[in-house]
Amino acid sequence: EEVFKVLPEAVAVLDREGRVQISTESAQRVFGFKRGIQASSLGYEWLPPLIQQAALEERPVEIRPKYEMIQKFVDNRELLFQPMVIPIPLDPDRSELSGYALLVRDVTQVHEQRELKRGVLSTVLHQLRTPLTSLHLSVCTLLEERVGKLNGKQAELLGTAKDDSERLVVILDDLLSLHRIEADSSHVSPKPVSPMSLVSAAVDSFSSEAEEKGVALINDFREDLPEVMADSEKIGHVFDNLLSNALRHTPAGGTVRINAKAEPDFLRFTVRDTGE
């Protein structure tokens, strides 16, 4: 019991009626889980549902990580916690419970580090995009021979630099999109939309690139397919990535084909290529 009390985490053991039997010093100091007190009397709305779920499913349950945390102010500092309830079986057959272990992990430092990483990543990505855009414009200006004629080798090298800079812009845009999604600032808004309109927009944006590479970009869609619930902009990013990869890895003379097939409850979109 003495060893248990000095554990660094906030831990409390409750009996079947939810009364605290033993708890660590941090559980008592931060959450008020003192011996003999009825845990439900402390007013924590998140606790009864966790206990009920743990008893029903006979497994440890916690508030969804990354999305929900318990906020407490301790010594004028905001702390964030992730609670977990673990059912304690009375016998090996788990036919009856003797109580529950409540573990409330301090995730403040993890959350602060995650926010710091997001901030640094966002700053770096935006700072990189500005000089990269300037570099791309300079290369395009040289290729258009606005500042002088180019010989064949110079044009070839600048063409490669132009392609690489455009590829880097795409990579940065993808990283920014992932960053926004991870930060939960990019919300999905699904609406009924025609599958043909989703795919046609993606195919049209890559038709010139496919023609230049000598790759046949074929849209095998039927117009009688049912509407789907989708966020057109974000699904558009998905198709852009799939088609971009397919074209990148398909040599001249190859084929990239996109179609959809109606399943009982959904629509299956497919991108196929004849490349590596």
Side-chain angles (χ1 to χ4, degrees):
E1 182 174 346
E2 292 303 314
V3 171
F4 187 87
K5 285 182 178 179
V6 296
L7 291 174
E9 294 281 9
V11 184
V13 176
L14 317 179
D15 63 18
R16 283 181 295 183
E17 285 71 40
R19 191 174 292 103
V20 178
Q21 300 299 303
I22 186 174
S23 58
T24 61
E25 291 180 358
S26 58
Q28 296 178 33
R29 178 173 54 86
V30 178
F31 293 95
F33 292 123
K34 298 179 180 179
R35 182 196 291 271
I37 196 169
Q38 188 71 30
S40 60
S41 68
L42 296 172
Y44 298 125
E45 296 179 356
W46 47 267
L47 184 55
L50 285 182
I51 291 177
Q52 292 172 9
Q53 186 180 354
L56 181 65
E57 300 180 7
E58 297 183 349
R59 67 173 182 85
V61 295
E62 63 180 336
I63 288 182
R64 293 184 301 160
K66 295 185 181 179
Y67 299 103
E68 298 179 17
M69 288 173 284
I70 305 304
Q71 180 191 55
K72 293 281 289 184
F73 283 90
V74 180
D75 299 330
N76 294 322
R77 184 188 174 208
E78 180 192 34
L79 299 180
L80 299 170
F81 296 90
Q82 189 78 45
M84 173 186 288
V85 172
I86 305 167
I88 304 173
L90 187 63
D91 52 62
D93 295 332
R94 304 180 71 89
S95 58
E96 188 177 355
L97 296 179
S98 65
Y100 307 90
L102 172 61
L103 169 63
V104 191
R105 293 182 296 115
D106 186 343
V107 294
T108 307
Q109 187 174 8
V110 174
H111 178 75
E112 290 174 346
Q113 289 174 345
R114 186 183 300 135
E115 291 301 309
L116 178 61
K117 183 191 74 172
R118 287 175 180 168
V120 171
L121 180 61
S122 178
T123 301
V124 169
L125 290 176
H126 281 98
Q127 292 295 328
L128 281 174
R129 211 181 190 292
T130 301
L132 185 57
T133 301
S134 176
L135 178 63
H136 180 258
L137 289 173
S138 298
V139 171
C140 289
T141 300
L142 290 171
L143 280 171
E144 293 170 1
E145 298 186 335
R146 295 182 185 178
V147 293
K149 291 290 184 181
L150 300 173
N151 60 40
K153 188 62 177 177
Q154 289 171 334
E156 180 184 347
L157 291 172
L158 286 171
T160 301
K162 175 177 175 290
D163 292 341
D164 288 342
S165 65
E166 289 174 348
R167 191 172 296 114
L168 283 173
V169 169
V170 171
I171 292 171
L172 281 179
D173 287 342
D174 286 345
L175 288 173
L176 283 168
S177 295
L178 288 172
H179 172 69
R180 284 193 292 268
I181 291 170
E182 185 183 36
D184 201 29
S185 61
S186 179
H187 301 288
V188 177
S189 302
K191 297 177 182 178
V193 61
S194 160
M196 177 63 80
S197 66
L198 286 176
V199 173
S200 296
V203 170
D204 290 346
S205 64
F206 285 95
S207 57
S208 297
E209 182 181 343
E211 186 176 349
E212 289 177 7
K213 289 195 64 177
V215 174
L217 182 55
I218 301 174
N219 185 349
D220 270 346
F221 262 61
R222 300 197 322 269
E223 295 189 6
D224 60 344
L225 291 172
E227 287 188 332
V228 293
M229 292 295 294
D231 185 318
S232 299
E233 180 184 354
K234 293 180 176 57
I235 290 295
H237 291 320
V238 175
F239 284 127
D240 286 349
N241 281 323
L242 293 174
L243 290 172
S244 176
N245 287 333
L247 285 172
R248 186 179 303 123
H249 297 286
T250 302
T255 301
V256 174
R257 191 181 301 271
I258 181 168
N259 60 21
K261 179 182 179 183
E263 303 284 351
D265 299 315
F266 55 88
L267 206 65
R268 184 187 302 277
F269 294 84
T270 308
V271 176
R272 290 187 172 91
D273 65 73
T274 58
E276 58 190 9

